[in-house]
mmCIF file of all heavy atoms in Angstrom:
data_model
loop_
_atom_site.group_PDB
_atom_site.id
_atom_site.type_symbol
_atom_site.label_atom_id
_atom_site.label_comp_id
_atom_site.label_asym_id
_atom_site.label_seq_id
_atom_site.Cartn_x
_atom_site.Cartn_y
_atom_site.Cartn_z
ATOM 1 N N TYR Z 8 4.747 -24.421 -13.400
ATOM 2 C CA TYR Z 8 6.017 -25.046 -13.059
ATOM 3 C C TYR Z 8 5.765 -26.410 -12.449
ATOM 4 O O TYR Z 8 4.775 -26.607 -11.761
ATOM 5 C CB TYR Z 8 6.753 -24.227 -12.008
ATOM 6 C CG TYR Z 8 7.304 -22.903 -12.446
ATOM 7 C CD1 TYR Z 8 6.976 -22.328 -13.655
ATOM 8 C CD2 TYR Z 8 8.175 -22.212 -11.619
ATOM 9 C CE1 TYR Z 8 7.486 -21.120 -14.040
ATOM 10 C CE2 TYR Z 8 8.692 -20.991 -11.994
ATOM 11 C CZ TYR Z 8 8.345 -20.452 -13.210
ATOM 12 O OH TYR Z 8 8.858 -19.262 -13.572
ATOM 13 N N TYR Z 16 14.070 -22.958 -8.311
ATOM 14 C CA TYR Z 16 14.027 -21.503 -8.124
ATOM 15 C C TYR Z 16 14.217 -21.121 -6.663
ATOM 16 O O TYR Z 16 14.839 -20.100 -6.361
ATOM 17 C CB TYR Z 16 12.738 -20.912 -8.696
ATOM 18 C CG TYR Z 16 12.785 -20.812 -10.205
ATOM 19 C CD1 TYR Z 16 11.908 -21.526 -11.018
ATOM 20 C CD2 TYR Z 16 13.729 -20.007 -10.826
ATOM 21 C CE1 TYR Z 16 11.978 -21.445 -12.406
ATOM 22 C CE2 TYR Z 16 13.813 -19.913 -12.207
ATOM 23 C CZ TYR Z 16 12.930 -20.637 -12.986
ATOM 24 O OH TYR Z 16 13.023 -20.541 -14.352
ATOM 25 N N MET Z 19 17.867 -21.220 -6.085
ATOM 26 C CA MET Z 19 18.532 -20.074 -6.726
ATOM 27 C C MET Z 19 18.310 -18.808 -5.894
ATOM 28 O O MET Z 19 19.196 -17.964 -5.771
ATOM 29 C CB MET Z 19 17.969 -19.865 -8.150
ATOM 30 C CG MET Z 19 18.471 -20.891 -9.154
ATOM 31 S SD MET Z 19 17.436 -20.944 -10.648
ATOM 32 C CE MET Z 19 18.135 -19.679 -11.627
ATOM 33 N N MET Z 23 21.081 -16.385 -4.221
ATOM 34 C CA MET Z 23 21.087 -14.943 -4.497
ATOM 35 C C MET Z 23 21.206 -14.156 -3.194
ATOM 36 O O MET Z 23 22.020 -13.237 -3.076
ATOM 37 C CB MET Z 23 19.796 -14.547 -5.239
ATOM 38 C CG MET Z 23 19.614 -13.041 -5.388
ATOM 39 S SD MET Z 23 17.938 -12.591 -5.926
ATOM 40 C CE MET Z 23 17.083 -12.522 -4.342
ATOM 41 N N ARG Z 47 11.256 -13.945 -7.340
ATOM 42 C CA ARG Z 47 11.620 -12.957 -8.368
ATOM 43 C C ARG Z 47 11.254 -13.474 -9.768
ATOM 44 O O ARG Z 47 10.898 -12.708 -10.643
ATOM 45 C CB ARG Z 47 13.123 -12.686 -8.264
ATOM 46 C CG ARG Z 47 13.624 -11.565 -9.142
ATOM 47 C CD ARG Z 47 15.061 -11.233 -8.782
ATOM 48 N NE ARG Z 47 15.773 -10.577 -9.843
ATOM 49 C CZ ARG Z 47 15.828 -9.259 -10.006
ATOM 50 N NH1 ARG Z 47 15.193 -8.460 -9.188
ATOM 51 N NH2 ARG Z 47 16.512 -8.744 -11.002
ATOM 52 N N ASP Z 48 11.306 -14.814 -9.940
ATOM 53 C CA ASP Z 48 10.995 -15.377 -11.259
ATOM 54 C C ASP Z 48 9.535 -15.136 -11.683
ATOM 55 O O ASP Z 48 9.230 -15.157 -12.865
ATOM 56 C CB ASP Z 48 11.321 -16.877 -11.291
ATOM 57 C CG ASP Z 48 10.744 -17.626 -10.119
ATOM 58 O OD1 ASP Z 48 11.283 -17.505 -9.010
ATOM 59 O OD2 ASP Z 48 9.731 -18.315 -10.297
ATOM 60 N N TYR Z 49 8.617 -14.870 -10.733
ATOM 61 C CA TYR Z 49 7.225 -14.553 -11.100
ATOM 62 C C TYR Z 49 7.154 -13.255 -11.907
ATOM 63 O O TYR Z 49 6.208 -13.020 -12.630
ATOM 64 C CB TYR Z 49 6.364 -14.306 -9.855
ATOM 65 C CG TYR Z 49 5.957 -15.509 -9.036
ATOM 66 C CD1 TYR Z 49 6.610 -16.714 -9.133
ATOM 67 C CD2 TYR Z 49 4.889 -15.397 -8.147
ATOM 68 C CE1 TYR Z 49 6.238 -17.789 -8.357
ATOM 69 C CE2 TYR Z 49 4.506 -16.477 -7.364
ATOM 70 C CZ TYR Z 49 5.187 -17.665 -7.469
ATOM 71 O OH TYR Z 49 4.809 -18.718 -6.695
ATOM 72 N N VAL Z 51 9.451 -11.911 -13.928
ATOM 73 C CA VAL Z 51 10.325 -11.859 -15.098
ATOM 74 C C VAL Z 51 9.651 -12.601 -16.242
ATOM 75 O O VAL Z 51 9.032 -13.640 -16.028
ATOM 76 C CB VAL Z 51 11.693 -12.506 -14.729
ATOM 77 C CG1 VAL Z 51 12.566 -12.712 -15.934
ATOM 78 C CG2 VAL Z 51 12.413 -11.652 -13.681
ATOM 79 N N ASP Z 52 9.737 -12.062 -17.466
ATOM 80 C CA ASP Z 52 9.104 -12.717 -18.612
ATOM 81 C C ASP Z 52 9.757 -14.071 -18.907
ATOM 82 O O ASP Z 52 10.923 -14.282 -18.604
ATOM 83 C CB ASP Z 52 9.192 -11.814 -19.853
ATOM 84 C CG ASP Z 52 8.281 -10.602 -19.713
ATOM 85 O OD1 ASP Z 52 7.347 -10.656 -18.889
ATOM 86 O OD2 ASP Z 52 8.527 -9.599 -20.403
ATOM 87 N N TYR Z 55 13.430 -14.726 -19.916
ATOM 88 C CA TYR Z 55 14.532 -14.450 -18.985
ATOM 89 C C TYR Z 55 14.411 -15.213 -17.672
ATOM 90 O O TYR Z 55 15.193 -15.001 -16.758
ATOM 91 C CB TYR Z 55 14.608 -12.945 -18.693
ATOM 92 C CG TYR Z 55 15.005 -12.158 -19.909
ATOM 93 C CD1 TYR Z 55 14.046 -11.487 -20.662
ATOM 94 C CD2 TYR Z 55 16.334 -12.103 -20.316
ATOM 95 C CE1 TYR Z 55 14.407 -10.782 -21.795
ATOM 96 C CE2 TYR Z 55 16.700 -11.401 -21.448
ATOM 97 C CZ TYR Z 55 15.735 -10.739 -22.183
ATOM 98 O OH TYR Z 55 16.097 -10.054 -23.293
ATOM 99 N N LYS Z 56 13.379 -16.105 -17.570
ATOM 100 C CA LYS Z 56 13.120 -16.767 -16.285
ATOM 101 C C LYS Z 56 14.349 -17.434 -15.674
ATOM 102 O O LYS Z 56 14.613 -17.294 -14.478
ATOM 103 C CB LYS Z 56 12.011 -17.813 -16.432
ATOM 104 C CG LYS Z 56 10.676 -17.191 -16.179
ATOM 105 C CD LYS Z 56 9.729 -18.107 -15.486
ATOM 106 C CE LYS Z 56 8.323 -17.543 -15.537
ATOM 107 N NZ LYS Z 56 8.191 -16.167 -15.100
ATOM 108 N N SER Z 57 15.117 -18.133 -16.521
ATOM 109 C CA SER Z 57 16.260 -18.857 -15.956
ATOM 110 C C SER Z 57 17.338 -17.888 -15.461
ATOM 111 O O SER Z 57 18.234 -18.280 -14.723
ATOM 112 C CB SER Z 57 16.824 -19.843 -16.975
ATOM 113 O OG SER Z 57 17.212 -19.126 -18.111
ATOM 114 N N SER Z 58 17.251 -16.618 -15.857
ATOM 115 C CA SER Z 58 18.223 -15.602 -15.399
ATOM 116 C C SER Z 58 17.696 -14.777 -14.232
ATOM 117 O O SER Z 58 18.356 -13.834 -13.780
ATOM 118 C CB SER Z 58 18.550 -14.642 -16.542
ATOM 119 O OG SER Z 58 19.060 -15.332 -17.638
ATOM 120 N N SER Z 59 16.500 -15.146 -13.729
ATOM 121 C CA SER Z 59 15.824 -14.328 -12.708
ATOM 122 C C SER Z 59 16.683 -13.946 -11.523
ATOM 123 O O SER Z 59 16.497 -12.903 -10.929
ATOM 124 C CB SER Z 59 14.623 -15.077 -12.126
ATOM 125 O OG SER Z 59 13.730 -15.447 -13.117
ATOM 126 N N TYR Z 60 17.597 -14.854 -11.122
ATOM 127 C CA TYR Z 60 18.347 -14.632 -9.875
ATOM 128 C C TYR Z 60 19.788 -14.192 -10.118
ATOM 129 O O TYR Z 60 20.606 -14.193 -9.212
ATOM 130 C CB TYR Z 60 18.261 -15.889 -8.999
ATOM 131 C CG TYR Z 60 16.820 -16.099 -8.549
ATOM 132 C CD1 TYR Z 60 15.949 -16.906 -9.283
ATOM 133 C CD2 TYR Z 60 16.332 -15.417 -7.451
ATOM 134 C CE1 TYR Z 60 14.619 -17.045 -8.912
ATOM 135 C CE2 TYR Z 60 15.003 -15.545 -7.064
ATOM 136 C CZ TYR Z 60 14.154 -16.362 -7.798
ATOM 137 O OH TYR Z 60 12.842 -16.464 -7.431
ATOM 138 N N GLU Z 61 20.064 -13.790 -11.378
ATOM 139 C CA GLU Z 61 21.421 -13.317 -11.685
ATOM 140 C C GLU Z 61 21.631 -11.908 -11.141
ATOM 141 O O GLU Z 61 20.683 -11.169 -10.913
ATOM 142 C CB GLU Z 61 21.659 -13.358 -13.209
ATOM 143 C CG GLU Z 61 21.792 -14.785 -13.690
ATOM 144 C CD GLU Z 61 21.930 -14.880 -15.210
ATOM 145 O OE1 GLU Z 61 22.116 -13.837 -15.888
ATOM 146 O OE2 GLU Z 61 21.847 -16.009 -15.710
ATOM 147 N N ARG Z 63 22.112 -8.896 -11.916
ATOM 148 C CA ARG Z 63 22.004 -7.822 -12.920
ATOM 149 C C ARG Z 63 20.547 -7.478 -13.178
ATOM 150 O O ARG Z 63 19.654 -8.280 -12.873
ATOM 151 C CB ARG Z 63 22.665 -8.253 -14.223
ATOM 152 C CG ARG Z 63 22.025 -9.495 -14.837
ATOM 153 C CD ARG Z 63 22.742 -9.905 -16.121
ATOM 154 N NE ARG Z 63 22.225 -11.153 -16.679
ATOM 155 C CZ ARG Z 63 21.539 -11.224 -17.813
ATOM 156 N NH1 ARG Z 63 21.248 -10.140 -18.504
ATOM 157 N NH2 ARG Z 63 21.131 -12.404 -18.259
ATOM 158 N N LEU Z 65 17.250 -6.964 -15.680
ATOM 159 C CA LEU Z 65 16.792 -7.723 -16.849
ATOM 160 C C LEU Z 65 15.684 -6.933 -17.552
ATOM 161 O O LEU Z 65 14.937 -6.192 -16.900
ATOM 162 C CB LEU Z 65 16.194 -9.064 -16.397
ATOM 163 C CG LEU Z 65 17.122 -10.075 -15.727
ATOM 164 C CD1 LEU Z 65 16.306 -11.200 -15.103
ATOM 165 C CD2 LEU Z 65 18.107 -10.646 -16.746
ATOM 166 N N PRO Z 76 19.002 -7.330 -8.146
ATOM 167 C CA PRO Z 76 18.530 -7.689 -6.797
ATOM 168 C C PRO Z 76 19.195 -6.900 -5.664
ATOM 169 O O PRO Z 76 18.516 -6.455 -4.738
ATOM 170 C CB PRO Z 76 18.867 -9.182 -6.695
ATOM 171 C CG PRO Z 76 18.892 -9.663 -8.108
ATOM 172 C CD PRO Z 76 19.356 -8.524 -8.944
#
Side-chain angles (χ1 to χ4, degrees):
Y8 290 11
Y16 283 117
M19 285 163 86
M23 171 193 86
R47 187 170 158 90
D48 49 285
Y49 285 19
V51 170
D52 290 340
Y55 293 101
K56 270 216 193 309
S57 59
S58 302
S59 303
Y60 294 93
E61 288 176 10
R63 61 181 175 111
L65 295 169

